């Protein structure tokens, strides 16, 4: 079996996330905004977690964030190449926290609180995924 | 609620691997042992409450048990709610007793080779796997690793401190009647064990194993009639932090301290009418060693970060300020995850009856059981007390 960096998410076709995945293909990191009460939220949902309204729109996040925590994964599913780095990132807009592969850095270079930015990886046919990398700019 | 119901019987098989036995056979062993320990007839069990049969899935395993044992309960349910389910079976039994529906209930769980399969598929939830990338790694070790790293960052804890908790658990397991792992380990063994998700290594982790355990719960009046040492239910608390595993909604929830543990414990203390320092012995649901430090802080025995020092000075050892996981905890007892809270409860009952042998906490009168589902997202805290 050849090993991969990313495998298909099991439930990628759920309605609340379809637009998000489409956004990644266009190099955009998308979140929801409620048209009724203005709440901005992430991850995507079919209704607003503040007012439960279902008139939502999408907006593009800045793609910047802060490293909240991280781990080096040595033990994963059999199809994955190991080890790899995973980060937990606070989105700059404050709307959510996201777990992501970390690219372009070694474990020893990672510091909690460091700025990171999102990048995009075409990981398979019709499958684009996000990564984060230390934001030196 | 105080002292309206009591645990009057316990039964458990040793945690381990039972490749040649059915899950329901293990359950029968535990239930029979618990009835024998309680000294009651099977027909007196009017309630049957169990944790899920994760392989069968449709909730008929309790029916099977009833036919097998020829018992006809007036109240029964199979409960699923992550690993708090076992706690909820006890809660349901006590509620039914307090409502006058039943006098006696058997709460039990059995598990065989379930966890690994289940964790492989974890993640296909209501949310898109947008924020938690289950396609990045199986299972949830990485989530606990993130929590551990954050705790290190905020408190100055080192991997050695986590290892100390694993070593303490192993030392306690040596005299446990049910623990799977009894061979002594040293801090270096933990530090040099296989890396899983840094900073969590193999010996910082609980092993998914088979097990079955049961407790008999009775009204206080019934308990006093049949049981020389009833262990009373003094109170409980439950709290959900509105996250599933890692909080992804906004950026304001800590993963180095968990609000669900804090709130559930505070509610349990309030209902029981006691303070944290009144607890003599405790079981905390820590699937990984870092959470052996985090949970006692959240329950209220230590301030945030104080466990770093306390694990060095033995405050959670038998004889310390608050003895924790006196028969090995999840790490050394082994972890049939849905059944684990029964094992925790049984260990506390043994302590409060004065039957914990080499591991006995002197004069233990009040015990606490902490169990959780998710990553400390849904927490149930049970407080037990002897006469
Ligand atoms: Zn809204």
């Amino acid at each position: 079996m050849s090993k991969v960096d990313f495998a298909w998410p099991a439930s990628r076709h759920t309605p609340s996330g379809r637009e998000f995945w489409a956004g990644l293909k266009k190099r955009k990191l998308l979140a929801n905004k409620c048209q009724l009460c203005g709440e901005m939220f992430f991850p995507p949902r079919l209704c607003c977690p503040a007012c439960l309204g279902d008139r939502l729109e999408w907006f593009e996040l800045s793609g910047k964030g802060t490293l909240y925590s991280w781990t080096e994964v040595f033990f994963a599913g059999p199809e994955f190449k190991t080890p790899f780095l995973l980060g937990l990132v606070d989105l700059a807009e404050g709307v959510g926290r996201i777990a992501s592969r970390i690219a372009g850095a070694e474990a020893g270079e990672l510091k909690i609180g460091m700025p990171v930015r999102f990048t995009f990886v075409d990981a398979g046919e019709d499958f684009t995924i996000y990564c984060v990398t230390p934001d030196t700019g | 609620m105080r002292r309206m119901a009591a645990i009057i019987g316990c039964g458990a098989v040793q945690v381990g691997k039972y490749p040649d036995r059915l899950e329901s056979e293990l359950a029968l062993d535990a239930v029979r042992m618990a009835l024998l320990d309680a000294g009651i007839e099977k027909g007196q069990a009017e309630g049957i409450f169990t944790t899920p049969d994760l392989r069968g899935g449709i909730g008929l395993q309790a029916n099977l048990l009833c036919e097998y044992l020829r018992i006809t309960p007036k109240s029964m349910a199979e409960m699923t709610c992550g690993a708090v389910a076992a706690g909820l079976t006890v809660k349901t039994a006590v509620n039914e007793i307090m409502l006058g529906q039943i006098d006696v209930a058997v709460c039990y769980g059995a598990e065989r080779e379930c966890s690994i399969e289940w964790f492989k598929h974890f993640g296909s939830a209501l949310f898109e796997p947008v924020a938690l990338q289950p396609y990045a790694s199986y299972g949830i070790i990485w989530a606990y690793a993130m929590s551990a790293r954050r705790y290190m960052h905020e408190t100055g804890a080192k991997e050695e401190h986590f290892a100390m908790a694993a070593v303490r658990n192993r030392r306690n397991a040596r005299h446990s009647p049910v623990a799977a792992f009894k061979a002594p380990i040293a801090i270096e063994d933990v530090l040099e064990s296989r890396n899983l998700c840094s900073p969590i290594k193999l010996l910082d982790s609980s092993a998914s194993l088979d097990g079955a355990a049961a407790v008999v719960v009775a009204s206080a009046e019934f308990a006093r009639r049949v049981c020389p040492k009833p262990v009373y239910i003094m109170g409980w608390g439950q709290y959900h932090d509105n996250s599933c595993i890692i909080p992804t909604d906004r950026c304001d929830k800590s993963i180095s301290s968990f609000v669900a543990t804090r709130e559930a414990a505070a509610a349990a203390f309030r209902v029981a009418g006691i303070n944290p320092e009144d607890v003599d012995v405790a079981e905390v649901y820590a699937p990984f060693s870092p959470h052996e430090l985090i949970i006692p802080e959240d329950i209220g025995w230590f301030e945030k970060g104080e466990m770093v020092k306390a694990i060095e000075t033995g405050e959670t050892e038998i004889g310390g300020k608050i003895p924790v996981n006196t028969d090995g905890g999840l790490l050394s007892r082994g972890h049939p995850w849905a059944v684990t809270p029964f094992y925790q409860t049984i260990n506390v009952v043994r302590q409060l009856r004065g039957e914990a042998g080499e591991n006995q906490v002197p004069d233990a009168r009040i015990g606490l059981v902490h169990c959780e589902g998710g990553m400390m997202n849904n927490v149930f805290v049970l407080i037990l007390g002897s006469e």
Side-chain angles (χ1 to χ4, degrees):
Chain A
M1 187 171 73
S2 71
K3 305 237 172 184
V4 298
D5 285 323
F6 302 97
W8 280 101
S11 60
R12 68 196 163 92
H13 289 308
T14 63
S16 54
R18 200 171 287 141
E19 193 72 21
F20 177 83
W21 293 106
L24 292 181
K25 209 169 171 55
K26 290 180 254 170
R27 275 42 187 168
K28 288 176 197 281
L29 197 63
L30 298 177
N32 289 127
K33 184 178 178 187
C34 175
Q35 291 183 352
L36 207 63
C37 77
E39 179 80 3
M40 294 187 287
F41 57 90
F42 182 89
R45 297 163 171 86
L46 290 176
C47 70
C48 168
C51 76
L52 305 188
D54 61 359
R55 286 178 47 200
L56 308 175
E57 60 191 39
W58 294 85
F59 71 99
E60 187 180 353
L61 294 163
S62 65
K64 292 185 182 298
T66 309
L67 192 64
Y68 181 74
S69 194
W70 62 272
T71 179
E72 187 167 22
V73 178
F74 294 85
F75 178 75
E79 70 267 45
F80 294 107
K81 286 182 217 152
T82 53
F84 55 85
L85 293 169
L86 276 185
L88 194 57
V89 175
D90 283 350
L91 297 169
E93 290 79 3
V95 295
R97 189 168 279 164
I98 186 166
S100 173
R101 288 290 186 102
I102 300 172
E106 302 291 322
E109 302 167 56
L110 298 178
K111 292 221 174 350
I112 285 179
M114 77 195 298
V116 294
R117 63 184 167 80
F118 283 84
T119 61
F120 302 89
V121 181
D122 292 318
E125 197 182 328
D126 202 28
F127 176 37
T128 301
I129 187 61
Y130 54 85
C131 264
V132 295
T133 191
D135 190 5
T136 48
Chain B
M1 177 197 309
R2 256 185 286 174
R3 297 178 192 272
M4 291 182 69
I7 294 175
I8 62 167
C10 300
V13 304
Q14 186 175 6
V15 178
K17 287 183 181 169
Y18 296 92
D20 302 325
R21 302 205 59 196
L22 296 173
E23 201 163 279
S24 44
E25 288 175 351
L26 295 176
L28 281 168
D29 279 358
V31 169
R32 285 167 54 225
M33 280 188 267
L35 290 171
L36 196 66
D37 183 51
I40 64 167
E41 299 294 325
K42 64 183 165 74
Q44 292 176 290
E46 298 170 307
I48 297 284
F49 305 107
T50 185
T51 50
D53 169 0
L54 292 165
R55 296 200 284 191
I58 58 166
L60 285 177
Q61 56 144 333
N63 296 33
L64 181 68
L65 180 106
C66 291
E67 179 169 12
Y68 211 95
L69 297 181
R70 283 195 198 141
I71 49 178
T72 53
K74 294 197 278 187
S75 179
M76 71 188 289
E78 178 173 318
M79 293 177 181
T80 312
C81 193
V84 301
L88 301 186
T89 65
V90 174
K91 178 179 175 175
T92 306
V94 176
N95 281 336
E96 287 286 82
I97 287 165
M98 291 198 298
L99 285 167
Q101 297 288 325
I102 59 172
D103 252 343
V104 182
V106 174
C107 303
Y108 75 95
E111 186 174 318
R112 210 174 65 73
E113 293 177 357
C114 300
S115 308
I116 293 166
E117 279 306 308
W118 181 81
F119 275 116
K120 274 186 194 167
H121 302 293
F122 177 77
S124 52
L126 178 64
F127 280 121
E128 274 288 315
V130 162
L132 287 182
Q133 279 193 316
Y135 46 94
S137 164
Y138 281 155
I140 54 170
I141 302 173
W142 63 267
Y144 282 86
M146 299 273 193
S147 164
R149 174 91 56 202
R150 187 72 200 183
Y151 181 80
M152 293 167 81
H153 174 76
E154 293 179 14
T155 65
K158 302 277 182 261
E159 292 182 38
E160 286 82 351
H161 297 108
F162 303 152
M164 287 173 200
V167 170
R168 180 208 66 202
N169 279 353
R170 185 60 64 92
R171 198 160 41 235
N172 290 345
R174 191 162 159 237
H175 299 292
S176 161
V178 292
F181 301 103
K182 299 191 177 194
I185 53 170
I187 290 172
E188 300 71 49
D189 297 323
V190 183
L191 295 175
E192 289 162 16
S193 64
R194 182 181 162 202
N195 224 333
L196 300 182
C197 289
S198 69
I200 291 175
K201 297 166 291 298
L202 187 66
L203 291 180
D204 292 306
S205 308
S206 52
S208 168
L209 287 172
D210 308 339
V215 296
V216 180
V217 184
S219 68
E221 194 263 326
F222 186 100
R224 285 190 198 101
R225 217 165 53 227
V226 304
C227 182
K229 291 177 187 170
V231 170
Y232 293 96
I233 313 286
M234 295 178 65
W236 63 60
Q238 188 177 3
Y239 192 87
H240 187 262
D241 72 353
N242 83 51
S243 319
C244 182
I245 316 296
I246 282 185
T248 58
D249 186 23
R250 304 192 284 210
C251 304
D252 54 359
K253 281 183 214 146
S254 174
I255 57 169
S256 58
S257 165
F258 295 93
V259 63
T261 298
R262 296 199 303 273
E263 292 292 334
F269 290 135
R270 199 164 53 241
V271 173
I274 64 165
N275 294 310
E277 56 272 22
D278 296 325
V279 178
D280 300 309
V281 60
E283 280 280 325
V284 306
Y285 192 105
F288 300 98
S289 64
H291 298 79
E292 294 279 2
L293 276 63
I294 293 173
I295 298 165
E297 295 179 356
D298 286 342
I299 289 175
W301 295 308
F302 303 94
E303 296 294 320
K304 170 83 176 274
E306 276 185 4
M307 264 304 291
V308 180
K309 184 83 184 152
I311 198 71
E312 280 183 15
T313 55
E315 303 262 40
T316 58
E317 305 270 355
I318 296 160
K321 175 183 173 180
I322 173 68
V324 171
N325 293 352
T326 62
D327 82 340
L330 282 58
L331 265 54
S332 281
R333 189 171 48 226
H335 185 33
W337 68 267
V339 189
T340 284
F342 288 120
Y343 282 101
Q344 296 178 289
T345 304
I346 289 169
N347 185 42
V348 167
V349 168
R350 289 176 64 242
Q351 287 282 358
L352 300 183
R353 286 175 174 178
E355 296 171 357
E358 296 273 343
N359 286 355
Q360 183 63 48
V361 173
D363 303 319
R365 297 170 60 82
I366 296 179
L368 179 147
V369 180
H370 160 279
C371 60
E372 56 97 18
M375 184 170 77
M376 311 292 155
N377 309 108
N378 182 8
V379 172
F380 181 72
V381 171
L382 181 67
I383 295 177
L384 303 171
S386 55
E387 287 291 1

